């Protein structure tokens, strides 16, 4: 059977930084608490829409794969924060890239979304349905964050990451996968006012219902269990011994969740990729950003045995055992950048403060 190979990778982080110290002016929190409880030091706030972040990550992934947009059969964008519900973010990306031969679809499995999309794209490639997919995780989650709620304000950031998945005769590819969901506790991590169940008249007088709301400790417990269980099961499916795993690239929601997942896999911290300090939780974008940075840092050898694991709203979770291909260097790069932004981070968030309330030293 044909295998699927990740042949390109790229990321796009908006330049504006919101530090833990900046947050001290917005909510009752402090750098010590955020660092020790989450591992996060700073996160990015985007001045452009989700599809623009996704497009640049996608261009960088195509350049790394050495292919043109016309070679892509499917643009799949994992996001729960598209620019618009109609059209999809993927359609906007398809047009921005000039991917004239591609279908385009968004997938929403919240923070697990990129892994869902990757697993489905690999399956379609391996089944011969398509030859080349551009799989992107992109989020502008801070649009839905109420910066008066310290339970969520300190956690999330914006960004995008992308991979190209291509058919190959090389060994490797997806060796084990799991996608899971438990909708019975959907309301422990949700944005109740963000869809068609919303009474729009009531939303007018209660904007907070549009914000992401989370019962942190309940989500934490379930994340530790689901990511640990799913990770061990995909390693088993792959037929790997635990000590054969070269690297864990987990969803970046909390270093304590990452540490617990690594312990379940009996992995030393040198085999775990963590970049949460710089970007916080970018939801569906964390794993493709982390994979890109792991490759850039030389942390992935040819043929590396990788475990991916994620958990998020839904509740949803996913894990994959993935054997990387023989090329770990990009074939090319693009010098394109996001348009420049003016003003500081607080002015960028001014519209958010006007909607949800709060702001510096409120
Ligand atoms: O990607 C999607 C999946 N999301 C996640 O996986 C997130 C999972 N949850 C978490 O990561 C953690 O639950 C949090 C980081 C959100 C919270 O950490 P925690 O250790 O579970 O803290 P907690 O909610 O149990 O709160 C402990 C204390 C409380 O004070 P008291 O009652 O002990 O006096 C909170 O009020 O910390 C307080 N607290 C804060 N203090 C300073 C809660 N948030 C903050 C804050 N700054 N931002």
């Amino acid at each position: 059977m044909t295998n699927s190979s990740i042949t390109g990778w790229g990321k796009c982080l908006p330049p504006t930084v919101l530090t833990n110290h900046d947050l001290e002016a917005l909510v009752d929190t402090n750098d010590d608490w955020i660092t020790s409880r989450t591992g996060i030091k700073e996160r990015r706030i985007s001045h452009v829409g989700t599809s623009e972040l996704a497009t640049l990550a996608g261009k960088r992934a195509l350049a790394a794969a050495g292919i043109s947009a016309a070679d892509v059969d499917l643009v799949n964008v994992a996001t729960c924060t598209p620019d618009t519900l109609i059209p999809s973010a993927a359609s906007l990306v398809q047009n921005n890239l000039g991917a004239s031969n591609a279908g385009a679809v968004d997938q929403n499995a919240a923070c697990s979304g990129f892994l869902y999309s990757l697993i489905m794209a690999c399956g379609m490639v391996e089944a011969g349905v398509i030859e080349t997919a551009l799989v992107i995780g992109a989020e502008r989650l801070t649009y839905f964050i109420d910066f008066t709620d310290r339970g969520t304000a300190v956690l999330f950031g914006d960004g995008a990451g992308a991979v190209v998945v291509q058919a190959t005769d090389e060994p490797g590819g997806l060796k084990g996968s799991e996608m899971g969901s438990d909708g019975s506790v959907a309301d422990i991590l949700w944005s109740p006012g963000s869809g068609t169940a919303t009474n729009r008249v009531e939303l007018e007088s209660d904007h907070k219902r549009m914000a992401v709301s989370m019962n942190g400790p309940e989500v934490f417990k379930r994340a530790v269990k689901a990511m640990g269980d799913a990770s061990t099961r995909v390693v088993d499916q792959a037929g790997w011994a635990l000590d054969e795993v070269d690297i864990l690239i987990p969803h970046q929601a909390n270093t304590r969740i990452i540490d617990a997942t690594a312990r379940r896999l009996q992995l030393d911290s040198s085999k775990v990729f963590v970049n949460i300090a710089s970007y916080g939780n970018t939801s569906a974008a964390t794993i493709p950003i982390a994979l890109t940075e792991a490759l850039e840092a030389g942390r992935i050898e040819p043929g590396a045995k990788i475990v991916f694991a994620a958990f998020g709203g839904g509740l949803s979770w996913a894990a994959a055992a993935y054997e990387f291909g023989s090329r770990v260097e990009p074939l090319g790069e693009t010098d394109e950048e996001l348009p420049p932004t003016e003003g500081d981070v607080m002015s960028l968030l001014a519209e958010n403060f006007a909607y949800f309330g709060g702001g510096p030293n409120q």
Side-chain angles (χ1 to χ4, degrees), residues 135-223:
V135 183
I136 303 174
E139 303 279 15
R140 192 184 186 188
L141 205 61
T142 62
Y143 183 90
F144 291 98
I145 296 303
D146 168 6
F147 284 94
T148 69
D149 173 12
R150 70 178 181 173
T152 54
V154 303
L155 302 175
F156 297 100
D158 303 329
V163 298
V164 173
V165 176
Q166 288 187 278
T168 177
D169 293 327
E170 269 195 21
L174 193 63
K175 299 294 180 188
S177 65
E178 177 171 319
M179 296 177 281
S181 175
D182 178 6
S184 69
V185 281
D187 63 354
I188 64 174
L189 173 49
W190 67 333
S191 165
S194 58
T196 56
T198 308
N199 180 317
R200 286 169 288 200
V201 177
E202 287 174 13
L203 184 62
E204 278 303 301
S205 57
D206 182 11
H207 288 173
K208 302 277 187 194
R209 291 168 56 202
M210 183 71 97
V212 172
S213 148
M214 183 170 70
N215 179 335
E218 282 301 319
V219 175
F220 187 99
K221 274 190 291 191
R222 288 172 169 81

Side-chain angles (χ1 to χ4, degrees), residues 342-361:
E342 286 169 11
D344 65 7
V345 65
M346 295 302 173
S347 57
L348 191 52
L349 286 169
E351 182 199 320
N352 184 299
F353 302 146
Y355 189 75
F356 289 121
N361 302 313

Side-chain angles (χ1 to χ4, degrees), residues 264-335:
R264 281 291 299 279
L265 292 171
Q266 297 170 26
L267 289 181
D268 184 77
S269 59
S270 63
K271 289 185 166 185
V272 184
F273 192 83
V274 185
N275 63 358
I276 190 172
S278 310
Y279 311 127
N281 181 347
T282 56
S283 183
T286 63
I287 287 183
I289 293 170
L291 174 63
T292 299
E293 295 199 340
L295 282 152
E296 288 168 351
R299 298 272 304 271
I300 295 185
E301 301 280 337
K305 291 182 168 61
I306 304 174
V307 175
F308 297 110
F311 184 87
L315 299 175
S316 63
W317 64 89
Y322 189 88
E323 190 177 318
F324 211 79
S326 57
R327 180 171 57 77
V328 293
E329 298 292 334
L331 288 177
E333 50 186 47
T334 166
D335 55 10

Side-chain angles (χ1 to χ4, degrees), residues 29 33 37-38 111 150 216-217 219 251 253-254 256-257 281 311:
T29 193
W33 190 95
R37 297 285 182 131
T38 73
C111 299
R150 70 178 181 173
V219 175
H251 173 48
N254 189 315
R256 292 181 291 142
I257 297 173
N281 181 347
F311 184 87

Side-chain angles (χ1 to χ4, degrees), residues 4 15 26 40 73 91 99 107 114 129 134 227 248 253 272 275 286 292 298 326 360:
S4 56
L26 299 177
I40 301 167
D73 301 314
S91 286
Q107 286 192 170
F114 175 80
V129 177
L134 178 61
M227 281 176 59
L248 168 67
V272 184
N275 63 358
T286 63
T292 299
S326 57

Side-chain angles (χ1 to χ4, degrees), residues 41-186:
K41 297 298 280 185
E42 57 187 44
R43 67 289 291 143
R44 303 294 175 91
I45 308 292
S46 186
H47 63 296
V48 298
T50 300
S51 63
E52 214 168 326
L53 299 172
T55 298
L56 190 50
K59 282 183 183 170
R60 289 173 174 160
L62 291 174
I67 64 170
S68 80
D71 297 322
V72 175
D73 301 314
L74 179 68
V75 176
N76 183 317
V77 178
T79 186
C80 56
T81 54
D83 312 46
T84 50
L85 288 180
I86 309 169
S88 66
S91 286
L92 299 174
V93 172
Q94 175 272 323
N95 181 56
N96 292 344
L97 294 173
S100 48
N101 300 311
V105 66
D106 284 2
Q107 286 192 170
N108 177 1
C111 299
S112 316
F114 175 80
L115 276 192
Y116 269 73
S117 293
L118 180 68
I119 291 166
M120 290 186 196
C122 289
M124 290 179 77
V125 167
E126 289 172 16
V129 177
I130 56 170
E131 284 190 6
T132 303
L134 178 61
V135 183
I136 303 174
E139 303 279 15
R140 192 184 186 188
L141 205 61
T142 62
Y143 183 90
F144 291 98
I145 296 303
D146 168 6
F147 284 94
T148 69
D149 173 12
R150 70 178 181 173
T152 54
V154 303
L155 302 175
F156 297 100
D158 303 329
V163 298
V164 173
V165 176
Q166 288 187 278
T168 177
D169 293 327
E170 269 195 21
L174 193 63
K175 299 294 180 188
S177 65
E178 177 171 319
M179 296 177 281
S181 175
D182 178 6
S184 69
V185 281

